[in-house]
Amino acid sequence: MSEDLAEWLSDSNEALSLQLVRDPEDEDVLYAQEKRAIEPFHPTFTYPIFGEREKIFGYKGLDIQLQFASGSLRQFLSITYDSKLNSPATPSDEIEGTLYKFIPPDYTKSEMDFSKLVEKDSSEFKPLGEKIGSYVRPAATSSKSKGKGKGKVSNGEELKEDDENAVVFEMYKATWNTPGFREYHRRMQLFILLFIEGGSYVHEDEDSWEFITLYEKRKRPAADSDIWTYHFVGYVSVYPFWCYPDQVRLRLSQFVILPPYQNQGHGSKLYSTLFSQMLSRPEVAELTVEDPAEAFEDLRDRNDLRFLVSNGILDDPKFSIGIGPSDELSRSERVKWESEIRKKYKITQRQFDRLLEMLLLKQLDLKDEKELKKYRLHVKARLYRFNYEMLSQMTLEERKEALAKTYESVVEDYERILEMTFH
């Protein structure tokens, strides 16, 4: 492309801005960090919509605004630009027509209509499905407040949902059979394309999909108000697959927390609620994860580690037996113990192996050479089994070198995760 034409290229990630819009009455009660919830933010990815290069051709000063009513996710689209290239030889990209393929057709381009819709939805919208969990955070009360508390007030007492300065977060479970949810899902699924690398829309003709959506819930501040407003935070989708002989394996397919709510612990709350739900269902054998991103893997590891520790695994007398080279009896006891614990908590084999290795490292006295060697051999044995096909094609020296490098990398990552989890 010539330099003259290159100046008509726009980065689609920068040109497209998203925003969750609340009624002005609900915006006025937000302070400090809470205001992030109503500020514009940009997508991480737009290649599923605008192509691999994530470029839009034919405009200067391009600004695409896609706004969502914060609860119902009804949409407003605005496309403006300073100038547009009008050339039959090099036509400008069709923006609205491209977006139309990915969003519901009932969006509006009228600011006035959208304002009325936001006002109406703010008092009328209610989450769809069955409420399965909630937690409370303190509201920010001034520009100096961070609003990052974990459910306690300044005197250390636990916040209650009906406390005046409480912000409640609720989770709702839904399926395609939930009235109205299929239409609602078509509004929220766009976030999968924009924030999950390799994300794609689920097929609505697959009947067994399950969803958990997370909302911020606030009471209107007026003294005589009995209105609660709901604001979308994120969601997770799972799909059950048959597991021999008579159970199902739940596969976590999509997990997204919108940027205004990230790094505040909401992802952990959503994941732990899903995990608790999974444990309570006798027909579920285990929870698997489909192609997890690194950030989600970290979130999953932290929560799984805390779960195991809170359930006393470190105090189990069998936790440390059969590590590294050991007698057949000890090793047999460990294999049996690991299998029982893993099935009890419905964790996949590889994930459970990693979690145990991290917890063993947490308890390890690094000055004890004998114990350190036992741990190193224990981890290497698992790595050898996991990478057997590749390692079996190497010479003995190449295999030793590869295992040593992999071990060092794995332990370094374990230390990073442990620091995040138990700092």
Side-chain angles (χ1 to χ4, degrees):
M1 181 177 293
S2 70
E3 290 186 12
D4 289 342
L5 291 178
E7 65 182 5
W8 293 94
L9 279 176
S10 302
D11 185 312
S12 53
N13 291 339
E14 296 177 2
L16 176 61
S17 66
L18 313 168
Q19 188 174 12
L20 300 170
V21 180
R22 305 188 185 197
D23 184 86
E25 188 175 352
D26 301 319
E27 291 184 354
D28 290 343
V29 301
L30 301 178
Y31 293 96
Q33 185 183 3
E34 293 178 341
K35 287 186 175 292
R36 286 179 54 194
I38 57 173
E39 293 174 352
F41 55 97
H42 293 281
T44 307
F45 310 103
T46 50
Y47 65 82
I49 300 172
F50 295 110
E52 289 186 10
R53 297 177 62 213
E54 297 183 319
K55 300 291 183 184
I56 299 173
F57 176 73
Y59 304 85
K60 291 181 181 180
L62 179 62
D63 181 25
I64 309 169
Q65 295 183 29
L66 186 59
Q67 299 179 355
F68 301 79
S70 61
S72 70
L73 300 181
R74 298 284 293 275
Q75 296 164 14
F76 163 76
L77 177 64
S78 168
I79 303 171
T80 60
Y81 42 83
D82 295 334
S83 53
K84 178 179 179 180
L85 180 65
N86 292 306
S87 168
T90 52
S92 302
D93 291 337
E94 172 53 48
I95 298 173
E96 184 174 354
T98 300
L99 281 170
Y100 188 85
K101 302 172 185 176
F102 297 91
I103 61 177
D106 62 350
Y107 64 88
T108 180
K109 294 193 288 183
S110 165
E111 289 189 48
M112 182 178 295
D113 288 349
F114 186 63
S115 294
K116 292 178 180 178
L117 189 151
V118 168
E119 180 183 5
K120 181 174 182 288
D121 281 3
S122 66
S123 58
E124 295 184 1
F125 172 77
K126 297 294 181 289
L128 305 173
E130 172 195 1
K131 180 183 172 183
I132 59 171
S134 65
Y135 56 97
V136 188
R137 295 283 175 81
T141 54
S142 73
S143 59
K144 296 180 180 179
S145 173
K146 298 294 185 182
K148 292 175 67 176
K150 298 297 184 180
K152 293 186 179 181
V153 292
S154 57
N155 62 8
E157 294 182 4
E158 292 290 332
L159 268 176
K160 297 181 177 61
E161 292 192 6
D162 56 356
D163 286 347
E164 185 177 346
N165 67 329
V167 180
V168 184
F169 291 85
E170 295 183 344
M171 285 156 283
Y172 290 79
K173 181 179 177 180
T175 67
W176 294 142
N177 293 325
T178 303
F181 185 78
R182 194 179 295 263
E183 291 74 20
Y184 186 79
H185 178 265
R186 290 170 187 161
R187 297 179 202 148
M188 72 181 186
Q189 66 180 347
L190 180 67
F191 298 125
I192 297 303
L193 301 186
L194 301 181
F195 294 104
I196 298 180
E197 187 167 12
S200 60
Y201 288 173
V202 302
H203 297 292
E204 292 188 8
D205 58 353
E206 296 173 340
D207 296 335
S208 299
W209 281 102
E210 302 174 14
F211 306 87
I212 300 176
T213 47
L214 172 61
Y215 296 90
E216 174 190 346
K217 175 184 175 184
R218 284 184 181 255
K219 194 173 189 296
R220 279 273 169 85
D224 59 346
S225 174
D226 59 354
I227 294 176
W228 290 88
T229 61
Y230 292 86
H231 313 282
F232 181 84
V233 175
Y235 77 100
V236 58
S237 65
V238 296
Y239 195 88
F241 290 89
W242 176 70
C243 180
Y244 179 85
D246 56 0
Q247 290 183 289
V248 296
R249 179 178 288 110
L250 275 188
R251 185 184 70 187
L252 191 158
S253 178
Q254 301 165 325
F255 189 101
V256 63
I257 299 292
L258 295 188
Y261 293 96
Q262 290 177 6
N263 301 312
Q264 299 169 44
H266 298 300
S268 288
K269 289 292 188 181
L270 181 57
Y271 175 80
S272 60
T273 298
L274 169 66
F275 194 89
S276 296
Q277 283 280 306
M278 178 267 303
L279 286 180
S280 70
R281 295 168 58 176
E283 80 277 13
V284 175
E286 63 183 21
L287 176 67
T288 67
V289 180
E290 178 186 0
D291 300 328
E294 183 177 333
F296 179 80
E297 279 196 315
D298 285 352
L299 181 148
R300 179 193 187 193
D301 288 344
R302 293 196 307 270
N303 283 278
D304 287 355
L305 286 167
R306 291 183 188 124
F307 172 82
L308 291 176
V309 170
S310 68
N311 280 273
I313 196 169
L314 296 180
D315 301 320
D316 194 310
K318 295 183 180 180
F319 174 71
S320 299
I321 67 166
I323 300 301
S326 53
D327 61 83
E328 191 64 31
L329 181 59
S330 296
R331 185 60 201 155
S332 176
E333 285 186 23
R334 181 165 192 85
V335 169
K336 180 181 178 183
W337 173 79
E338 286 186 2
S339 178
E340 290 173 350
I341 298 295
R342 186 185 72 79
K343 290 178 180 178
K344 177 182 178 180
Y345 296 133
K346 306 181 181 182
I347 301 174
T348 59
Q349 185 67 60
R350 179 174 179 269
Q351 175 69 354
F352 190 66
D353 288 343
R354 293 177 64 255
L355 295 170
L356 288 184
E357 289 170 6
M358 282 187 257
L359 292 174
L360 286 166
L361 179 62
K362 181 179 185 295
Q363 302 296 91
L364 186 63
D365 180 358
L366 298 178
K367 296 179 181 179
D368 188 328
E369 289 294 335
K370 182 179 178 181
E371 292 301 310
L372 185 57
K373 181 178 180 180
K374 286 169 64 177
Y375 175 78
R376 183 170 64 248
L377 293 174
H378 179 78
V379 174
K380 283 185 175 181
R382 198 265 303 175
L383 292 173
Y384 180 79
R385 293 192 300 271
F386 186 74
N387 299 288
Y388 175 76
E389 286 190 19
M390 179 185 69
L391 292 171
S392 63
Q393 299 175 35
M394 297 180 179
T395 66
L396 180 59
E397 289 304 314
E398 289 173 337
R399 193 180 309 152
K400 287 182 178 180
E401 182 180 354
L403 276 174
K405 288 182 178 179
T406 304
Y407 169 81
E408 294 297 332
S409 175
V410 164
V411 168
E412 183 179 346
D413 196 48
Y414 285 175
E415 290 172 340
R416 178 185 63 84
I417 296 167
L418 290 170
E419 174 64 24
M420 287 193 299
T421 308
F422 300 109
H423 66 280

